[in-house]
Amino acid sequence: MSKIVPIIFLVGSGLLFFFVIDPIYNGTGADNLGIKAIREEKAAYDDVLTRARDLQAKRDELRTRYNSITTIDKARLEQLLPDTLDNVKLVLDIDRIAARQGLKIKNIAVNDTAGADKKSAVPDEKGFGSATITFGITAPYDVFLNFLNDLEDGLRLIDVTTLSINSKDPKAYDYTVSFKTYWLKK
Amino acid sequence: MDPRQQATFIPKRPVTSISSERATMGFFSLVTLIIFICMGLAAGGMYFWRITLQKQLESSSSDLVEQEKAFDKAFIAAAVRLNNRIEISKSLLNKHLAVTSLLDAIGKNTLQSVQFSDLAFTTSQLGGISVVKVTMKGVARDYTALAAQSGEIAKVVAFKDPVFSDFTLTQEGRVSFGLTMNVDTSLLEYRNKSLGKQQTTPSLDTNRPATTTAQSVSTTTAANTQRP
């Protein structure tokens, strides 16, 4: 009898280790995580939480900087590089600038993204899209220069790419202007 | 009492071996009992440790969800978009060219006997340097005027490698020609133009007075009487 007792204790200890302690520590599967896996997961969570706190500090800094830019400046930036091509508004704006000089724009051609000519209106990988707009205008040279200056000084970014001058009438020339304009890709 | 049965006090087996065996068994039992108790305690302790860790994990998980909510994704998206807008605008403005500066320069260096009719320009990279290639078409009164114009263009430092080509005698007896040249981008850069004049707040869709352009145009008018 006295010889059996230690054997029972030993076997019991072994059973406790293999069927209780080891499964608790190492786990038995994805549904029953062991201490080891939980600790690893906890360490990962703690790491992420630390980073999240750092990011929150950066976000607060970012918010301060974001708020330091006035609404007017943000609106100007949106005019400089709008969210969409908005070619109708652009043409209207150009017409308004031309009207200021007593001119009228004509033969407007806009190569938009939905059109067949996608080569000239492609949102590229740099994060912005560009479109080419062509129009004609008749004006004396001085007035045309005034108009071009106004166009260049406008907030919407316009890069004149080609300019054709036809001088049938010595007092008023026919100009064909092509320019590139941009928008911020979504 | 049977006399044949002699009483003896000498044990048939040695007494010491039985007691030491019992002592060994007792000690062994004690050790195994201690091991068993330790295993039991460890099992219980680990069970409660796991429960505690699981609670901590759940707490960390909910903390993370709260942190995520506090991030204000809409604001982050707006800030990222604003940053993109600023960076792309900067990049585009650095390459932004003012065609009026080019017209001004050409106008100042065009002879009365020469008339330009077409102008196109493209920007390209040549050995890491931004180059503006200008292609023009024009008509000169005669070859002498064209030669003089060629000399005039060659004098302008900003005009690089001018090439006059496609000489054709027109029905009116004039000489039509093509001109290709590279132009120093610093001449055309919008920032140089904008630095050169006091700007009002320009806007494409406001009725901004054209005071800023009047000065440059009047300069052009005075300096150049040979426009197209």
Side-chain angles (χ1 to χ4, degrees):
Chain A
M1 178 69 186
S2 60
K3 283 181 183 175
I4 294 169
V5 172
I7 293 166
I8 290 169
F9 284 149
L10 271 180
V11 170
S13 299
L15 290 173
L16 270 175
F17 180 79
F18 287 109
F19 292 102
V20 181
I21 295 172
D22 188 58
I24 288 176
Y25 188 76
N26 288 318
T28 52
D31 296 334
N32 188 18
L33 290 176
I35 288 172
K36 192 181 173 188
I38 295 172
R39 285 183 73 191
E40 282 169 4
E41 207 168 317
K42 173 90 173 44
Y45 265 103
D46 288 347
D47 187 39
V48 171
L49 278 168
T50 312
R51 285 185 195 179
R53 280 180 204 113
D54 291 347
L55 282 174
Q56 274 195 344
K58 280 185 182 167
R59 183 211 55 196
D60 293 341
E61 189 191 322
L62 189 68
R63 197 185 286 277
T64 312
R65 287 176 68 186
Y66 185 86
N67 292 335
S68 70
I69 302 170
T70 64
T71 316
I72 297 164
D73 284 342
K74 282 176 198 151
R76 280 178 177 170
L77 276 166
E78 275 180 31
Q79 258 189 298
L80 182 79
L81 193 65
D83 290 324
T84 57
L85 172 60
D86 203 357
N87 48 11
V88 177
K89 189 175 180 295
L90 181 62
V91 168
L92 198 73
D93 289 340
I94 294 168
D95 191 49
R96 207 176 291 167
I97 290 172
R100 235 184 278 160
Q101 304 293 335
L103 306 172
K104 199 88 185 156
I105 56 171
K106 56 190 178 186
N107 305 330
I108 304 146
V110 182
N111 295 312
D112 64 348
T113 44
D117 188 2
K118 292 192 174 184
K119 282 179 188 168
S120 51
V122 188
D124 65 16
E125 69 280 359
K126 288 173 185 169
F128 64 89
S130 63
T132 305
I133 295 177
T134 307
F135 66 90
I137 197 161
T138 304
Y141 188 71
D142 283 355
V143 181
F144 176 70
L145 273 185
N146 272 343
F147 165 72
L148 264 188
N149 266 307
D150 279 2
L151 208 60
E152 279 176 356
D153 293 342
L155 260 184
R156 179 96 185 234
L157 199 59
I158 283 170
D159 275 325
V160 176
T161 50
T162 56
L163 174 66
S164 173
I165 304 160
N166 194 334
S167 54
K168 283 177 188 167
D169 181 355
K171 284 184 182 174
Y173 307 105
D174 287 331
Y175 303 91
T176 305
V177 182
S178 290
F179 65 85
K180 239 179 172 183
T181 189
Y182 310 91
W183 75 93
L184 187 66
K185 215 164 69 173
K186 296 246 178 188
Chain B
M1 191 178 188
D2 191 358
R4 284 176 294 182
Q5 283 185 337
Q6 277 190 328
T8 178
F9 293 101
I10 302 163
K12 288 173 183 171
R13 286 182 292 177
V15 174
T16 49
S17 69
I18 294 166
S19 61
S20 76
E21 192 178 319
R22 278 183 183 164
T24 309
M25 285 306 291
F27 177 72
F28 191 60
S29 295
L30 185 70
V31 170
T32 53
L33 177 68
I34 290 167
I35 291 170
F36 183 73
I37 290 168
C38 286
M39 284 292 179
L41 286 172
M46 287 181 102
Y47 176 75
F48 287 109
W49 187 19
R50 188 171 72 170
I51 288 172
T52 312
L53 280 174
Q54 274 173 336
K55 281 181 184 169
Q56 284 177 354
L57 195 66
E58 280 164 20
S59 162
S60 295
S61 177
S62 58
D63 276 0
L64 198 64
V65 171
E66 277 174 29
Q67 294 262 14
E68 201 180 348
K69 279 181 192 166
F71 253 121
D72 193 357
K73 284 180 185 171
F75 163 71
I76 301 287
V80 166
R81 192 150 180 83
L82 180 66
N83 183 58
N84 286 347
R85 202 185 296 279
I86 291 170
E87 291 305 317
I88 291 171
S89 297
K90 266 191 206 170
S91 154
L92 289 172
L93 280 170
N94 280 338
K95 290 186 274 182
H96 185 43
L97 302 176
V99 70
T100 47
S101 304
L102 178 67
L103 291 177
D104 194 27
I106 292 169
K108 281 176 185 170
N109 295 285
T110 303
L111 302 175
Q112 279 189 342
S113 51
V114 174
Q115 185 183 56
F116 286 107
S117 57
D118 277 290
L119 182 143
F121 59 91
T122 52
T123 313
S124 56
Q125 293 288 321
L126 216 114
I129 302 161
S130 186
V131 174
V132 176
K133 188 179 177 183
V134 178
T135 310
M136 296 166 76
K137 282 179 187 169
V139 180
R141 192 174 55 204
D142 47 35
Y143 281 106
T144 313
L146 186 58
Q149 182 59 60
S150 174
E152 199 68 29
I153 292 287
K155 281 182 200 166
V156 184
V157 183
F159 297 161
K160 316 271 185 198
D161 312 320
V163 177
F164 285 82
S165 60
D166 305 328
F167 310 120
T168 313
L169 206 60
T170 64
Q171 287 179 334
E172 296 86 32
R174 302 171 84 187
V175 180
S176 72
F177 63 93
L179 169 61
T180 307
M181 61 185 175
N182 294 324
V183 179
D184 190 344
T185 47
S186 61
L187 178 77
L188 302 177
E189 278 168 2
Y190 181 78
R191 57 184 167 190
N192 292 346
K193 180 193 170 188
S194 60
L195 283 171
K197 61 183 184 182
Q198 204 175 13
Q199 283 220 359
T200 55
T201 309
S203 172
L204 197 62
D205 58 353
T206 56
N207 292 319
R208 179 172 49 86
T211 50
T212 53
T213 56
Q215 190 188 348
S216 63
V217 171
S218 62
T219 311
T220 312
T221 314
N224 174 37
T225 52
Q226 302 84 22
R227 286 180 210 96

